[in-house]
Amino acid sequence: MRILDNSDKHLLPVLPDIVSQELHKDVEKISFIGGGSFGRVYKAVLSDGETIAVKAYRVQGSQYEEAEQLTLLSGNTSVKMPEVLFVYEDEDTAILAMSFVEGQNVLSPMFLLKNKEQKQKFARDVVSGMLQWHSVTNDKFGSLGEPLYDNWYDYYKEEKQKPWLSSLKELSENGKFSKKNLQLLLEATELFNSLPEEDTKPVLIHGDLNIMNIMADSKTLELTAFIDPCGSMWADREYDLFQLRNMWGDAYGLYEEYKRRAGSSEFTDFRVAYYASVHEAAMRLKGGLIVPVWEELNNARLKKEIKKLKEKM
């Protein structure tokens, strides 16, 4: 895994030339509009008036993965998603260029001021889009291109849980990950692995549908687009739910709306909380940015679910 310099100082001098080379149009204006754990996104206005989005990644190769995910996801939901224009890689740069989608990501606190009816409609529309993905099934669990597992829990434990926890233990021994947080994850893992496994079908998931990756009209909170898939795969549908609670997603009732529409199992709340905490900790291993306050919120929720589960047992 090679980490690239995706600072403005590096990117702004080279992005216009790359876009011009690939699309055969000059860039009239380019500006930074946002970023997440793995990349920075720029808005570029081209010489013919077209506006596009250009995402530059911190981890080389990520642009190909996201292009594949966008193509499959956009073909299986009625919610607008960016169209892939080109992918590019050289020694120092990894880029995905996409059509520009309207709206503002719902991470903006201004959306919290919208009324109850607007938030409820927004939640219904988001969940409707997700359920379209979750109606697309496959024979096996795993990556989009090569799913190999017959059972979700076999996949999750072998490909996520075991390697991530092993690496986090090493980080903790080297003082780079909290021993207290590691102990919490190990306690939760023991509980997770002791629960009865459920018979689930592989479905198509976005993998990172938190409020940062959901776009809405700033005046009405009308859903305008889904963006930035990460970790899309054939998975148990519950694995697509923990991001709905990330940041202040609960203010819109996204998770509860999903459960209301699609139903849930006896252990859904615990499993979703567990997935969230393990995933957030594993961001250290994947080259992502760590936001301590979100990690602590996830861990606080996991502690509550552990307590509730132990009271049941």
Side-chain angles (χ1 to χ4, degrees), residues 178-193:
S178 162
K179 286 184 169 58
K180 181 179 72 172
N181 288 349
L182 176 62
Q183 188 56 45
L184 173 67
L185 295 184
L186 294 176
E187 178 186 4
T189 296
E190 185 175 350
L191 283 171
F192 179 91
N193 291 346

Side-chain angles (χ1 to χ4, degrees), residues 44-253:
V45 180
L46 307 184
S47 54
D48 63 354
E50 181 183 5
T51 300
I52 68 170
V54 183
K55 186 171 182 179
Y57 296 81
R58 298 181 70 233
V59 180
Q60 205 163 41
S62 299
Q63 73 275 30
Y64 300 110
E65 295 176 10
E66 184 162 345
E68 177 188 26
Q69 293 167 21
L70 276 172
T71 300
L72 183 56
L73 290 167
S74 63
N76 286 284
T77 183
S78 57
V79 179
K80 188 175 181 60
M81 297 190 74
E83 176 189 354
V84 175
L85 301 178
F86 70 82
V87 290
Y88 175 89
E89 179 175 292
D90 63 23
E91 186 177 57
D92 303 310
T93 313
I95 289 171
L96 169 62
M98 303 162 280
S99 60
F100 186 80
V101 295
E102 298 297 331
Q104 184 167 350
N105 79 60
V106 187
L107 182 65
S108 172
M110 71 175 183
F111 287 109
L112 296 174
L113 302 177
K114 303 302 180 183
N115 63 47
K116 180 179 178 181
E117 290 73 23
Q118 289 173 311
K119 291 176 182 176
Q120 288 176 335
K121 184 178 186 308
F122 172 74
R124 289 195 300 270
D125 290 344
V126 169
V127 170
S128 292
M130 292 183 71
L131 288 174
Q132 289 174 320
W133 290 326
H134 296 176
S135 69
V136 181
T137 60
N138 194 46
D139 293 332
K140 293 184 180 291
F141 295 92
S143 67
L144 294 182
E146 195 175 7
L148 301 174
Y149 288 79
D150 293 319
N151 178 280
W152 163 248
Y153 298 97
D154 289 343
Y155 168 80
Y156 181 75
K157 291 171 185 178
E158 289 299 318
E159 301 292 336
K160 305 288 188 186
Q161 185 190 90
K162 287 182 181 178
W164 287 356
L165 289 177
S166 176
S167 296
L168 288 169
K169 286 177 184 178
E170 291 184 21
L171 288 183
S172 182
E173 290 168 0
N174 293 327
K176 296 180 180 179
F177 182 57
S178 162
K179 286 184 169 58
K180 181 179 72 172
N181 288 349
L182 176 62
Q183 188 56 45
L184 173 67
L185 295 184
L186 294 176
E187 178 186 4
T189 296
E190 185 175 350
L191 283 171
F192 179 91
N193 291 346
S194 72
L195 295 178
E197 295 182 357
E198 297 169 359
D199 185 19
T200 63
K201 291 189 297 187
V203 303
L204 178 62
I205 71 165
H206 179 283
D208 197 19
L209 201 63
N210 60 65
I211 56 175
M212 186 183 294
N213 295 333
I214 305 174
M215 308 292 282
D217 183 276
S218 59
K219 294 182 180 178
T220 64
L221 192 56
E222 286 282 335
L223 175 65
T224 60
F226 292 146
I227 62 173
D228 287 359
C230 181
S232 300
M233 66 176 105
W234 301 104
D236 174 20
R237 65 187 178 94
E238 290 185 351
Y239 197 60
D240 214 14
L241 304 186
F242 68 86
Q243 291 286 3
L244 296 179
R245 309 198 74 183
N246 211 347
M247 302 159 227
W248 41 86
D250 278 347
Y252 304 99

